Amino acid sequence: MPLGSKRLAGITALIGSLLLGCCGTGGEEVCDNPLVANLPPSSFRSSSQLSSSHGPVFAKVNRREGAGGWSPLVSDRYQWLEVDLGRRTQITAVATQGRYGSSDWLTAYLLMFSDTGHNWRQHRQEDSLGAFPGNSNADTVVQYKLERPVIARYLRLIPLDWNPTGRIGLRLEIYGCRYTSDVANFDGSSSLIYKLSVRPVPTAVEIISLKFKTLKNSGTLLHAERQRDHSLTLVLEKGRLLLYHQQGVSSSSGGQLLLSLGSLLDDQHWHHVKLERLHTHLNLTVDKNTQQVYIPAELSQSDIHQLSLGAVQGHGLQKPILSNRNFHGCLENLLFNDLNLIDLAKQNSPQVTVMGNVTFSCVEPVSVAVTFTDSQSFLQLPGLTSWSSGVVSVALQFRTWNKAGLLLTFDLPQQDSTVWLYLSETRLRLQISKMGRTVLELSAGSGLNDGQWHSVKLISRQDRLSITVDKDEGATAHTSIPLPLTTDSQLFFGGCPAQESSRQCRNPFKVFQGCMRLLTLDDQCVDLIKVQQRLLGNYSRLQIDICGITDRCSPSHCEHGGRCTQSWSTFHCNCSNSGYRGATCHSSTYEQSCEAYKHKGNTSGYYYIDVDGSGPVKPHLIYCNMTEDRAWMVIQHNNTDLTRVYSSPEKSQHLANFDYASEEEQLAGIISQSEHCEQELSYLCRKSRLLNTAEGAPFSWWVGGPGPGQVQTYWGGAVPGSRQCACGLQDNCVDSNHHCNCDADYDQWANDSGLLTHKETLPVRSLVLGDIQRPGSEAAYKVGPLHCHGDKNFWNAAFFDKETSYLHFPTFHGELNADISFLFKTTSSSGVFLENLGIKDFIRIELRSSLEVVFSFDVGNGPLEVRVETSVPLNDNRWHIVRAERNVKEAFLRVDGFPAATQEAPPDGHIHLQLNSQLFIGGTASRQKGFLGCIRSLQLNGVTLDLEERAKITPGVRPGCPGHCSSYGSLCQNQGRCAEKANGFSCDCGQSAYTGAFCHEEVSASFKATTSIAYILNEPYQLSRNSSAWPSSIYSDMTLRGENISLGFRTSQSPALLLYVNSFYREYLALLINNHVELELRYKLHSSKDVEVLGSRITNLADGHLHTVTVRRLADTVSIQIDQNAKEDFNLTSDVEFNSIKSLILGRVQEPDEVDADLSGLASLGFTGCLSAVRFNSISPLKAALLHPDSPVIVTGPLAQSSCGSSSPANPYAAETTHSSSEQPSSVDPGQPLVNAIRSDSALIGGVIAVVIFVTVSALAIMARFICSRKETYRSQEVKAVQPEEGHEFPFSNQADSQSAPSENQKEYFI
């Protein structure tokens, strides 16, 4: 090849390599050029150098000049190396190397950036970490790529740690590329106005982006005027960006605040702002944080026609958000829909008008701040020669989050006094103390820990001392105590030296943590750069030329409305009234269903339900109706009454909308997680057709289902899509030609009612009735509350029967907050419940031993463990609950009710949990330490994992996990028996004198003197006519050698018979209150022997209060216990067998010949008062009489069920659901439905109905009393409530769903 051709090829290759150094394969610029290698020596500075050959100019990677790198004179954390890149540059990476041929290298360092060489800003990683990893030897180059590029001219590297056997040694390289921008400077009275030259074309997207920097904490950044007199204004207020919306040319209000974002934005550093209108919402981005707000339709449909930058320059009819506060600072790269407005201003475009003095370079005022970082920080300054005149002035500015801290202290040796200027409870205080006694105290200001800059000035003259806060004199005092400061005086700011031998500095208060700037002594500004160079004063643990304040509440890590407060080093979340708990208000305080409350032993009542746990859906108050086998959630809406609709020729349809007490997300969550939901839908009609029409379109329909719902054309009791009612499905409609009773169109009342049970169509949201306009058409409808029971999440379980088996799910994403809860039961002593791995991070919960559960994790700060040790074994095959949470503040673990364990997170460590493997349940990826047993209701961040579905297809794992009575059986009270169910348990109260979900509700009744309950224990044998049996054998042989008797009573009667048991052989047992108001137990177990009387020493039992009695007999040993008194023991001497028991009687004994002569008088008196929870062995006679009328029981006289046996008032927050029948008014039209009086169409009709109610009920009651008085004894197998006899004129009743406590009005039973 000719020489010329070789040269040409070389030049081409050189150009190609340069281009490839700046561009990627796709033509995009690659910003990774080395920037240090070609810099001149003047670009390097350092805090010090060991020698001229160890200077900063030699700190270039892979260079060996000089001593092979930079080393400072002293190896400590006050050293730094600074590089000036000559202009603002985009920096993407930094590489470090040790000093050549030495044992000197860094192991950790900080990076600082600046545009001016002052006001440095520390660069932090994504997790707020400040330290960067360094080297492990002197030769290897370690490069760290910045997560986000930094725009700066100056870089300063501060060594943190170095090789312990060497000293600080460094060679450095910086990677990046050229950065260009357009900048405009606003002086506080200038602005730019951009006007669109033509009418804007409507667009779905508008974007305004810019960067700004300022030292002022308030000012208007931009004002966008839109069509239809709408405007958006973005202002800086106390260091935060606020976005306002205004409407109307005459608007005098300050506008509507849409968004608030950012904090401490007045730090003279560049901040990026982006405002996007995306059709229906606005996005505001400040630096790395974005918030979104939905906007009105009229605002989303209007476009910007004028933009004002730096001030509000509009038509002047709207009130400015910030009056007379224009922006003072710099704007950069101001783009409106990719249009560069600053470039247009430079080119004198007619679309841009410059108001005032706008320059196109950024004016950078120099303000040197100092940061007091910890308890050992202090700044010491000497006094001034001018202080000999007797006039002293000290001024400074500070910003902090702490409520307390020392700002300044100095001694007055001549007065033997000490002066302290300090913060206490967010106020500034000045105190002068002499010999331990306070001689003067002043205070000024308030709320000074808000993170804003506050100015303080202390002035002392001969007889006057004053302190001023924020240029407003807060306190002034006259004193004869001068402040004779001299040149030898020493002033200490922020704190005192740790090893101070003299008494020059004492600090009885907290140290100051925060920033100070503009320190002046007698109006002379202190040169803090000289302090940094050790040329003035002294200091320790300070960061000079930087304000390192951090807002830990912006953005806030407090969830669910928790209020964030902070100090210098941490933040705190106040979760009060949020419904959530934990360090970040992440975990819900409430259960996710009524089912969960029931299995904690809660009875019926109102409870807060949080359907998604720690998710975004708020908790809401609903009613839980706990029955023996169900836990019903009852969700009310605005009209659950039977509502009357009259014919009206003016309207062709009647529309009813139903608004539910729960929000949409709450409803959807309840319906989704419930096993069954139902809602009553009833239509009562007269000449009002429902569904079927000749044209095929239904007259009426309803809308139901999630969201807005869908039109449904089936009725209660039928199936979706059938266009039928319940009678059509059952083929029993009044007219076989139709599928609904109402479609027969009869001129008499008919009824189509039933339950809607398909969850996909629930809840009912609206109802449209169409056939109501004809003359004579009448109708009524009722849409009941939504009822749901069961919790699919609560019982979702899997059984692991092999150590090598596990379930796997997608990766768990809980970067900042991770809460995990589950129940387990096992007989094994160890096993891993859950594990998820990342490259380095992991999370694991395991049973370490039978007495210990461990929660371990690593988010980049090294493995941490939180452990809970229990006092009882956890491998007892009973359910145990585990709750674990890890957030940015702490990790938390609780097992059952044992004390929780917590582990605080490091204040400035990694905070993001980064996982990438599958989530393993019941085992690990290594198939070791697998769990044997059951895991149930596993939830991660409020989301339940479907263990059962995954277990169906996984070998070694079975879906479901039976056996719940071992854990929940103790909830069944009062001899209730726990019955296993596939999902849960129920309490069988058949052998208990109590009822309710947990056999906890006493069954009690009020007795009158004529009331009698006889429970037949044995009937005589029916003998045939030719029988030859002996008379003694005609009775069944029921013989007892012991009894267990318990009951409660409340009475003022004495004497009174409480309980009487007789036999066919004239033997008996009687429990009574005698004439001395004492309890007496009488046994006659042999007809030929005298009765044995066992008397208790407890007196005054007829006092009208509730008393409980328990009697136990085993053969001849008898014990009696009354209330909480000591048990009393007795012995029988006559006999021990109670033979051929006949009946048990409560109240009056109706057959006198059955009673022993000693008791005949008492038996005829009956019992007046209350009896409750009566139990004789396994028999509950009172419960049988009231609740089980098919039992062998005879009730005579009035018997009223009541709550008289309750020893405590009812809990108003846990009221039992009752269903009370509405009063039944008569009607002028036979067969019309009964509706709630509130829904009636006129007050007159309501009054007539009320009168008829009273007359009817009174007549029926008198008739019943008369019939009762004519009968002496009634033998029946049922107890029936007095009700009006059903007739044609009363075909329907309104059964209102009541959620109040049971009424005090008692139902009376007559037989």
Side-chain angles (χ1 to χ4, degrees):
M1 179 181 292
L3 181 60
S5 299
K6 290 183 179 180
R7 288 177 178 175
L8 180 60
I11 293 171
T12 303
L14 177 61
I15 294 173
S17 65
L18 291 174
L19 290 174
L20 289 175
C22 297
C23 299
T25 57
E28 295 181 0
E29 184 177 1
V30 176
C31 189
D32 60 358
N33 300 321
L35 305 175
V36 172
N38 297 321
L39 290 176
S42 59
S43 297
F44 299 88
R45 294 176 61 233
S46 65
S47 53
S48 65
Q49 59 189 43
L50 186 61
S51 68
S52 59
S53 60
H54 293 80
V57 70
F58 301 112
K60 297 182 179 181
V61 163
N62 293 327
R63 301 286 285 270
R64 303 181 181 181
E65 291 87 353
W70 167 70
S71 287
L73 181 63
V74 179
S75 290
D76 60 25
R77 292 189 173 187
Y78 297 107
Q79 308 303 320
W80 47 265
L81 174 70
E82 182 182 309
V83 179
D84 179 5
L85 298 175
R87 57 177 297 160
R88 292 179 67 211
T89 304
Q90 182 169 318
I91 301 170
T92 58
V94 175
T96 59
Q97 190 180 26
R99 194 167 61 82
Y100 175 73
S102 72
S103 57
D104 304 339
W105 62 82
L106 302 182
T107 58
Y109 59 90
L110 298 178
L111 285 179
M112 305 281 186
F113 294 98
S114 172
D115 283 352
T116 62
H118 292 288
N119 190 31
W120 295 91
R121 183 169 194 168
Q122 181 179 344
H123 183 73
R124 294 181 178 271
Q125 303 174 53
E126 193 71 32
D127 280 349
S128 298
L129 286 177
F132 292 85
N135 302 86
S136 57
N137 56 55
D139 299 321
T140 305
V141 177
V142 175
Q143 184 184 89
Y144 182 83
K145 189 172 183 179
L146 305 182
E147 293 175 349
R148 293 172 180 265
V150 174
I151 310 300
R153 174 178 174 178
Y154 295 89
L155 179 147
R156 179 175 284 186
L157 187 148
I158 299 176
L160 285 181
D161 292 298
W162 46 92
N163 179 21
T165 61
R167 59 189 304 124
I168 294 175
L170 176 65
R171 286 177 286 175
L172 175 71
E173 183 57 86
I174 304 171
Y175 300 91
C177 58
R178 181 185 180 92
Y179 176 75
T180 58
S181 66
D182 292 294
V183 180
N185 186 84
F186 298 81
D187 62 3
S189 60
S190 54
S191 63
L192 291 178
I193 302 175
Y194 167 74
K195 293 184 179 180
L196 271 70
S197 56
V198 294
R199 183 179 180 87
V201 179
T203 59
V205 178
E206 283 181 341
I207 300 176
I208 302 173
S209 64
L210 57 90
K211 288 184 176 181
F212 76 91
K213 69 189 309 185
T214 181
L215 278 174
K216 302 293 184 180
N217 69 353
S218 296
T220 301
L221 257 68
L222 66 88
H223 176 75
E225 293 187 10
R226 315 180 74 89
Q227 297 167 333
R228 303 183 183 93
D229 296 315
H230 288 276
S231 67
L232 291 174
T233 308
L234 189 64
V235 302
L236 187 68
E237 178 69 23
K238 292 188 175 181
R240 299 177 61 86
L241 273 183
L242 309 179
L243 180 64
Y244 287 92
H245 169 230
Q246 286 178 297
Q247 180 181 8
V249 296
S250 60
S251 174
S252 60
S253 66
Q256 176 191 3
L257 178 63
L258 298 179
L259 290 172
S260 173
L261 194 59
S263 178
L264 308 176
L265 301 178
D266 55 339
D267 56 1
Q268 193 61 16
H269 292 293
W270 288 108
H271 296 282
H272 175 255
V273 178
K274 188 176 184 180
L275 181 62
E276 300 173 281
R277 179 179 64 81
L278 303 174
H279 192 55
T280 60
H281 60 269
L282 284 172
N283 286 345
L284 177 62
T285 300
V286 178
D287 296 331
K288 296 182 292 184
N289 303 311
T290 302
Q291 282 190 11
Q292 185 178 91
V293 64
Y294 286 91
I295 56 177
E298 60 271 16
L299 181 59
S300 65
Q301 296 169 4
S302 65
D303 292 277
I304 295 175
H305 61 81
Q306 178 174 305
L307 265 178
S308 302
L309 289 314
V312 177
Q313 299 290 346
H315 42 56
L317 298 179
Q318 287 185 341
K319 179 183 178 181
I321 301 297
L322 293 179
S323 302
N324 302 321
R325 289 195 188 178
N326 293 352
F327 176 70
H328 193 165
C330 302
L331 298 182
E332 179 182 67
N333 292 346
L334 174 58
L335 303 179
F336 172 54
N337 290 341
D338 296 327
L339 188 64
N340 191 328
L341 301 187
I342 296 179
D343 185 56
L344 290 178
K346 286 182 179 179
Q347 299 173 13
N348 296 319
S349 169
Q351 289 184 267
V352 179
T353 302
V354 178
M355 308 288 292
N357 182 26
V358 177
T359 59
F360 299 105
S361 62
C362 188
V363 177
E364 299 275 5
V366 176
S367 176
V368 179
V370 57
T371 304
F372 297 78
T373 59
D374 54 42
S375 60
Q376 300 180 30
S377 300
F378 75 92
L379 169 62
Q380 180 180 353
L381 294 176
L384 301 179
T385 56
S386 61
W387 285 350
S388 57
S389 63
V391 178
V392 174
S393 171
V394 180
L396 59 90
Q397 290 185 2
F398 73 90
R399 71 191 316 174
T400 183
W401 300 116
N402 290 357
K403 294 182 179 180
L406 178 70
L407 294 177
L408 170 65
T409 181
F410 51 87
D411 281 345
L412 303 174
Q414 299 177 7
Q415 305 290 338
D416 198 18
S417 302
T418 304
V419 179
W420 289 291
L421 186 66
Y422 62 99
L423 291 175
S424 176
E425 294 300 321
T426 75
R427 292 177 59 82
L428 182 69
R429 300 182 187 276
L430 175 69
Q431 180 178 318
I432 301 178
S433 177
K434 182 176 183 180
M435 304 289 291
R437 181 175 59 88
T438 301
V439 296
L440 179 66
E441 188 167 10
L442 303 177
S443 64
S446 63
L448 301 179
N449 66 328
D450 57 358
Q452 302 296 310
W453 285 109
H454 297 282
S455 61
V456 177
K457 192 166 187 178
L458 167 67
I459 300 178
S460 172
R461 294 183 174 87
Q462 293 181 353
D463 60 348
R464 189 172 182 268
L465 178 65
S466 67
I467 54 174
T468 305
V469 177
D470 294 335
K471 301 179 181 180
D472 178 22
E473 189 170 324
T476 303
H478 297 271
T479 176
S480 59
I481 302 177
L483 299 182
L485 290 171
T486 65
T487 306
D488 297 329
S489 299
Q490 298 293 316
L491 280 68
F492 294 88
F493 295 85
C496 293
Q499 304 296 330
E500 184 63 41
S501 57
S502 67
R503 295 181 62 257
Q504 281 187 309
C505 185
R506 292 179 296 108
N507 181 19
F509 311 104
K510 293 183 178 180
V511 298
F512 175 76
Q513 288 179 295
C515 301
M516 292 187 190
R517 70 179 183 187
L518 300 179
L519 274 73
T520 61
L521 305 180
D522 280 1
D523 297 328
Q524 299 178 26
C525 193
V526 176
D527 190 344
L528 294 175
I529 299 301
K530 282 188 175 182
V531 174
Q532 183 183 35
Q533 297 169 345
R534 304 286 182 180
L535 301 177
L536 176 66
N538 188 22
Y539 69 91
S540 174
R541 305 295 287 268
L542 297 183
Q543 292 180 341
I544 297 179
D545 210 359
I546 176 175
C547 179
I549 190 171
T550 300
D551 192 339
R552 301 178 188 274
C553 290
S554 180
S556 175
H557 290 293
C558 302
E559 301 182 61
H560 300 111
R563 298 183 298 278
C564 183
T565 57
Q566 62 183 313
S567 63
W568 181 261
S569 56
T570 188
F571 70 93
H572 172 72
C573 295
N574 185 347
C575 308
S576 300
N577 303 319
S578 70
Y580 296 83
R581 61 190 171 196
T584 58
C585 310
H586 176 74
S587 297
S588 180
T589 306
Y590 308 110
E591 300 297 333
Q592 293 182 246
S593 66
C594 293
E595 187 88 2
Y597 277 113
K598 179 179 178 181
H599 286 79
K600 293 178 68 176
N602 295 91
T603 57
S604 297
Y606 286 95
Y607 296 95
Y608 277 99
I609 302 293
D610 196 334
V611 291
D612 67 342
S614 58
V617 180
K618 297 178 181 179
H620 58 296
L621 187 68
I622 70 172
Y623 187 78
C624 294
N625 185 18
M626 313 296 192
T627 64
E628 291 187 14
D629 58 345
R630 296 279 190 269
W632 289 94
M633 290 188 278
V634 183
I635 300 96
Q636 295 285 345
H637 58 76
N638 59 326
N639 180 15
T640 57
D641 297 325
L642 187 63
T643 305
R644 193 71 178 269
V645 179
Y646 294 98
S647 62
S648 173
E650 288 78 19
K651 62 178 183 178
S652 59
Q653 291 180 335
H654 175 82
L655 171 64
N657 292 306
F658 305 103
D659 299 323
Y660 289 81
S662 301
E663 296 179 0
E664 179 59 36
E665 297 85 356
Q666 298 163 348
L667 277 173
I670 289 175
I671 295 173
S672 174
Q673 76 179 16
S674 297
E675 294 178 355
H676 171 83
C677 290
E678 65 185 38
Q679 193 166 11
E680 177 189 353
L681 179 59
S682 299
Y683 189 61
L684 283 65
C685 56
R686 176 178 152 185
K687 292 188 64 177
S688 179
R689 292 161 294 180
L690 188 58
L691 294 179
N692 300 319
T693 64
E695 296 79 14
F699 286 109
S700 303
W701 64 87
W702 55 277
V703 176
Q710 294 183 338
V711 173
Q712 309 292 336
T713 56
Y714 75 101
W715 215 250
V719 295
S722 65
R723 288 193 60 174
Q724 293 184 358
C725 300
C727 70
L729 201 65
Q730 300 163 7
D731 199 21
N732 60 0
C733 295
V734 295
D735 186 339
S736 59
N737 295 319
H738 298 281
H739 300 299
C740 295
N741 291 321
C742 291
D743 289 339
D745 203 21
Y746 290 162
D747 191 11
Q748 63 184 26
W749 284 101
N751 184 1
D752 282 307
S753 302
L755 294 176
L756 305 171
T757 59
H758 292 79
K759 297 199 301 179
E760 298 78 10
T761 64
L762 296 177
V764 178
R765 300 184 178 277
S766 60
L767 179 66
V768 177
L769 304 177
D771 192 16
I772 59 170
Q773 73 280 7
R774 295 182 296 160
S777 294
E778 292 184 80
Y781 64 87
K782 180 181 180 182
V783 177
L786 178 67
H787 292 80
C788 295
H789 73 74
D791 185 346
K792 294 187 293 185
N793 298 333
F794 189 72
W795 296 111
N796 195 296
F799 176 71
F800 301 82
D801 57 6
K802 294 181 181 179
E803 284 193 2
T804 57
S805 61
Y806 59 82
L807 298 177
H808 61 83
F809 291 87
T811 305
F812 174 44
H813 296 288
E815 286 79 6
L816 295 177
N817 290 284
D819 76 275
I820 303 168
S821 65
F822 59 91
L823 294 100
F824 76 93
K825 68 174 182 174
T826 183
T827 57
S828 180
S829 60
S830 64
V832 174
F833 299 119
L834 173 149
E835 181 183 84
N836 206 166
L837 306 177
I839 297 176
K840 293 182 179 179
D841 296 0
F842 73 89
I843 190 169
R844 182 186 301 114
I845 304 178
E846 62 182 306
L847 182 67
R848 185 72 59 85
S849 72
S850 62
L851 297 172
E852 183 181 39
V853 175
V854 178
F855 174 34
S856 54
F857 61 93
D858 187 354
V859 295
N861 305 313
L864 291 175
E865 287 188 348
V866 188
R867 23 177 112 228
V868 170
E869 295 184 357
T870 63
S871 57
V872 296
L874 299 174
N875 58 342
D876 56 358
N877 204 30
R878 302 180 65 181
W879 287 115
H880 300 280
I881 187 168
V882 176
R883 298 183 187 274
E885 181 183 344
R886 180 261 150 194
N887 52 57
V888 297
K889 282 210 70 177
E890 67 179 23
F892 166 94
L893 178 65
R894 181 184 293 278
V895 179
D896 293 337
F898 295 100
T902 58
Q903 175 77 51
E904 289 191 6
D908 289 310
H910 291 279
I911 60 174
H912 285 83
L913 176 65
Q914 298 176 344
L915 307 173
N916 55 20
S917 74
Q918 289 182 320
L919 169 66
F920 291 88
I921 306 299
T924 64
S926 62
R927 294 179 177 268
Q928 297 177 349
K929 299 182 179 180
F931 172 73
L932 292 174
C934 293
I935 296 178
R936 196 185 97 213
S937 188
L938 174 60
Q939 296 187 335
L940 284 75
N941 279 349
V943 178
T944 301
L945 299 188
D946 196 342
L947 303 179
E948 293 187 354
E949 283 299 315
R950 192 60 61 94
K952 292 176 182 178
I953 58 174
T954 305
V957 187
R958 299 201 302 266
C961 196
H964 305 295
C965 281
S966 60
S967 301
Y968 300 113
S970 60
L971 295 177
C972 298
Q973 308 168 31
N974 303 306
Q975 293 82 43
R977 183 179 61 86
C978 182
E980 290 284 357
K981 296 169 58 179
N983 285 342
F985 78 103
S986 64
C987 293
D988 181 358
C989 305
Q991 303 296 315
S992 172
Y994 291 73
T995 186
F998 306 109
C999 310
H1000 64 287
E1001 299 172 11
E1002 88 287 338
V1003 179
S1004 55
S1006 295
F1007 282 66
K1008 296 185 178 179
T1010 57
T1011 304
S1012 173
I1013 296 176
Y1015 191 98
I1016 308 305
L1017 297 167
N1018 260 319
E1019 296 280 2
Y1021 286 125
Q1022 297 295 326
L1023 300 179
S1024 65
R1025 180 176 299 178
N1026 299 321
S1027 174
S1028 60
W1030 292 95
S1032 62
S1033 66
I1034 67 173
Y1035 304 116
S1036 60
D1037 186 15
M1038 187 177 192
T1039 300
L1040 297 179
R1041 294 182 58 85
E1043 299 85 36
N1044 288 324
I1045 305 171
S1046 60
L1047 59 83
F1049 68 90
R1050 186 196 303 267
T1051 186
S1052 300
Q1053 178 183 346
S1054 174
L1057 182 64
L1058 300 177
L1059 178 144
Y1060 180 72
V1061 183
N1062 60 6
S1063 80
F1064 290 103
Y1065 298 113
R1066 304 194 69 81
E1067 297 176 359
Y1068 71 88
L1069 176 159
L1071 187 65
L1072 55 94
I1073 300 174
N1074 61 24
N1075 290 315
H1076 303 293
V1077 202
E1078 299 170 340
L1079 189 74
E1080 195 171 284
L1081 177 62
R1082 296 187 184 185
Y1083 273 104
K1084 187 172 184 179
L1085 301 184
H1086 198 287
S1087 59
S1088 62
K1089 294 184 179 181
D1090 293 335
V1091 65
E1092 295 191 59
V1093 179
L1094 311 179
S1096 170
R1097 295 187 299 271
I1098 308 301
T1099 62
N1100 196 28
L1101 297 179
D1103 56 358
H1105 295 123
L1106 182 67
H1107 299 283
T1108 59
V1109 178
T1110 303
V1111 176
R1112 300 282 187 268
R1113 180 179 76 89
L1114 181 60
D1116 62 343
T1117 302
V1118 181
S1119 68
I1120 301 176
Q1121 184 175 15
I1122 301 175
D1123 298 332
Q1124 301 301 317
N1125 297 297
K1127 192 163 52 175
E1128 300 173 87
D1129 296 320
F1130 305 88
N1131 290 100
L1132 298 178
T1133 59
S1134 60
D1135 203 345
V1136 295
E1137 291 187 350
F1138 196 175
N1139 298 301
S1140 298
I1141 298 177
K1142 179 181 179 183
S1143 62
L1144 183 153
I1145 301 173
L1146 303 176
R1148 183 176 183 178
V1149 181
Q1150 298 293 337
E1151 299 180 9
D1153 57 338
E1154 295 185 358
V1155 183
D1156 192 83
D1158 296 339
L1159 288 175
S1160 59
L1162 186 59
S1164 63
L1165 290 176
F1167 174 76
T1168 302
C1170 172
L1171 289 179
S1172 69
V1174 181
R1175 192 168 188 264
F1176 178 83
N1177 291 347
S1178 60
I1179 298 168
S1180 303
L1182 185 60
K1183 179 179 176 183
L1186 292 172
L1187 304 180
H1188 303 290
D1190 56 344
S1191 303
V1193 63
I1194 302 171
V1195 178
T1196 306
L1199 178 68
Q1201 183 177 359
S1202 72
S1203 58
C1204 58
S1206 177
S1207 59
S1208 59
N1211 181 357
Y1213 299 102
E1216 192 78 342
T1217 295
T1218 60
H1219 299 278
S1220 59
S1221 298
S1222 299
E1223 298 292 350
Q1224 301 188 353
S1226 61
S1227 172
V1228 294
D1229 186 359
Q1232 74 174 1
L1234 305 175
V1235 295
N1236 191 305
I1238 298 177
R1239 311 297 299 181
S1240 299
D1241 293 287
S1242 90
L1244 178 60
I1245 293 176
V1248 172
I1249 288 173
V1251 172
V1252 175
I1253 289 172
F1254 177 78
V1255 172
T1256 303
V1257 173
S1258 300
L1260 290 171
I1262 293 171
M1263 290 172 61
R1265 294 280 184 179
F1266 176 76
I1267 294 170
C1268 232
S1269 65
R1270 299 291 296 176
K1271 295 184 179 181
E1272 296 179 359
T1273 303
Y1274 296 87
R1275 195 177 189 90
S1276 173
Q1277 300 300 316
E1278 296 182 358
V1279 179
K1280 296 182 179 179
V1282 173
Q1283 295 179 345
E1285 181 183 353
E1286 288 195 6
H1288 296 290
E1289 63 271 28
F1290 297 105
F1292 311 114
S1293 64
N1294 178 24
Q1295 296 290 334
D1297 289 294
S1298 172
Q1299 295 185 21
S1300 61
S1303 172
E1304 290 300 322
N1305 297 328
Q1306 303 167 352
K1307 296 180 181 178
E1308 292 198 356
Y1309 296 84
F1310 299 95
I1311 297 295

